[in-house]
Amino acid sequence: MDFLPTLWFILIAILWIGYLFLEGFDLGVGMLIKVFARGESQRRVLLNTVGPVWDGNEVWLLTAGGATFAAFPYWYASLFSALYLPLVLVLLGLIFRAVAFEYRGKAHRASTRDAWDWAIALGSLTAAFGVGAMLALTTTGLPLNANGDRVGGAFAWFNGYALLGGAAVVLFCVAHALAFVGLKTDGDLRRRAGRALSRWLPLALLPLAAWAAAVVMVGGKAWTWAILGAAAAAGAGAWRAARAGREGWTFVLSGLFLLAGTSAIFGAAYPNVLPSTLGAEYNLTVLNASSSPYTLRLMSFVAAFGVPLVLAYQAWTYWVFRRRLSETHIPEPHPVTPIV
């Protein structure tokens, strides 16, 4: 009876993990554009590493939100209404970031490019923090009453778990981006990314590890403790690989840390999809928040066709743009005469 709701809970968790893995490094690259790049040519290299893929990565966010709406409408309604304010800020951050990606290269003045750079950096930071806060509150709880409505004012959601989740995703995105930059660039950017990771990677992974440990300690099962241990091993392996200069393994192991850590979080939260801090009787679960069995069956057939297609075209995109970039690949700025 609860097979399909459980299946769609697992699929939504996979969509969020995919989003954090893929969008994680391009959000991190967006944040690094102001604090890591030295000069215009390095900023352009960073932008070119994610230029062909950043908008495709956002498909995972849209699909996760759409799947939640269709499979668990009560979860969607309670979560998005309770977090209306922070999620509007996330939306604005993504909009400014997307516009800046498109218009930065069309700016003729350095001051205008600098403004677009700030839009990319702050938009990426806002989006990463907001998504992290939302996911943390999804797994730790919100003040919901019997109707699934938020109790309290507009900032009733703002607590230590929201800050922890936001910091966890922001710092993971930065670390994941440094691993990606080390894998995708050459020259000074590659060397500096490796040095930064070898020094700061444990600190960057610590908030995500703390969030996972907090959730597992409350509702963990034996298998969630096991994969939490696997996450710790992957994080230690990523740091060791970074110190050894093995960029491919650093990127893979940081991804495995994310996979194991977030799997432990969602696994420990199950069967709750949105706990209530006012009482366990108000919790939203995979059963009382799900759509009808007919809807879930229809969605399963569509997903069986659509998900492999999305994975195939994204894999092909990354294969086509697999080469390293360096400052020598960036041409000097030059005017372009419009046809019309």
Side-chain angles (χ1 to χ4, degrees):
M1 179 180 175
D2 59 349
F3 171 73
L4 285 176
T6 299
L7 173 65
W8 274 97
F9 176 80
I10 294 171
L11 290 176
I12 289 171
I14 291 172
L15 289 171
W16 280 116
I17 293 169
Y19 174 73
L20 292 175
F21 179 81
L22 294 173
E23 183 83 340
F25 62 73
D26 71 54
L27 287 174
V29 166
M31 288 183 266
L32 291 175
I33 194 173
K34 291 301 295 181
V35 298
F36 187 72
R38 293 174 178 171
E40 174 64 12
S41 61
Q42 290 196 356
R43 282 189 282 272
R44 291 173 65 190
V45 170
L46 289 181
L47 290 174
N48 276 276
T49 61
V50 298
V53 298
W54 69 268
D55 47 355
N57 292 341
E58 289 188 354
V59 169
W60 291 79
L61 174 64
L62 300 175
T63 308
T68 304
F69 171 77
F72 298 99
Y74 297 106
W75 178 13
Y76 181 93
S78 295
L79 181 66
F80 279 69
S81 60
L83 300 180
Y84 184 83
L85 180 59
L87 291 180
V88 166
L89 295 177
V90 169
L91 180 61
L92 291 174
L94 291 173
I95 290 172
F96 276 102
R97 178 174 177 267
V99 172
F101 271 125
E102 299 297 333
Y103 280 87
R104 184 192 186 278
K106 299 172 176 62
H108 295 292
R109 292 183 296 181
S111 59
T112 307
R113 285 195 298 271
D114 188 61
W116 289 126
D117 288 343
W118 279 112
I120 293 172
L122 295 178
S124 300
L125 176 64
T126 302
F129 185 88
V131 167
M134 180 194 69
L135 291 176
L137 293 170
T138 297
T139 54
T140 58
L142 286 165
L144 303 177
N145 61 20
N147 295 322
D149 298 326
R150 183 193 66 210
V151 175
F155 292 94
W157 57 272
F158 191 76
N159 57 30
Y161 284 119
L163 291 174
L164 178 62
V169 172
V170 167
L171 291 178
F172 174 79
C173 286
V174 171
H176 202 43
L178 288 171
F180 180 74
V181 169
L183 197 61
K184 280 288 294 178
T185 66
D186 210 349
D188 183 58
L189 278 172
R190 179 184 180 183
R191 290 188 292 270
R192 289 171 52 228
R195 288 198 299 268
L197 272 178
S198 64
R199 178 177 298 180
W200 300 111
L201 185 59
L203 183 62
L205 300 183
L206 183 60
L208 181 54
W211 169 20
V215 176
V216 171
M217 281 192 291
V218 172
K221 299 89 174 171
W223 67 270
T224 58
W225 281 106
I227 59 174
L228 185 62
W239 187 33
R240 182 176 180 181
R243 291 169 65 88
R246 304 185 68 178
E247 295 146 340
W249 278 109
T250 304
F251 185 75
V252 169
L253 289 169
S254 71
L256 289 176
F257 170 82
L258 172 74
L259 171 63
T262 49
S263 296
I265 291 170
F266 280 106
Y270 179 85
N272 295 318
V273 294
L274 184 57
S276 172
T277 57
L278 301 182
E281 64 273 19
Y282 303 143
N283 289 352
L284 295 178
T285 69
V286 294
L287 292 181
N288 65 23
S290 67
S291 293
S292 66
Y294 173 79
T295 301
L296 295 178
R297 282 197 302 271
L298 181 61
M299 290 175 60
S300 299
F301 285 119
V302 173
F305 169 77
V307 172
L309 186 64
V310 171
L311 292 175
Y313 83 68
Q314 282 208 304
W316 178 80
T317 302
Y318 280 96
W319 175 256
V320 170
F321 296 99
R322 66 189 182 277
R323 304 277 183 194
R324 288 185 182 270
L325 295 172
S326 70
E327 293 178 71
T328 60
H329 295 121
I330 304 299
E332 292 295 325
H334 54 281
V336 177
T337 304
I339 299 175
V340 179

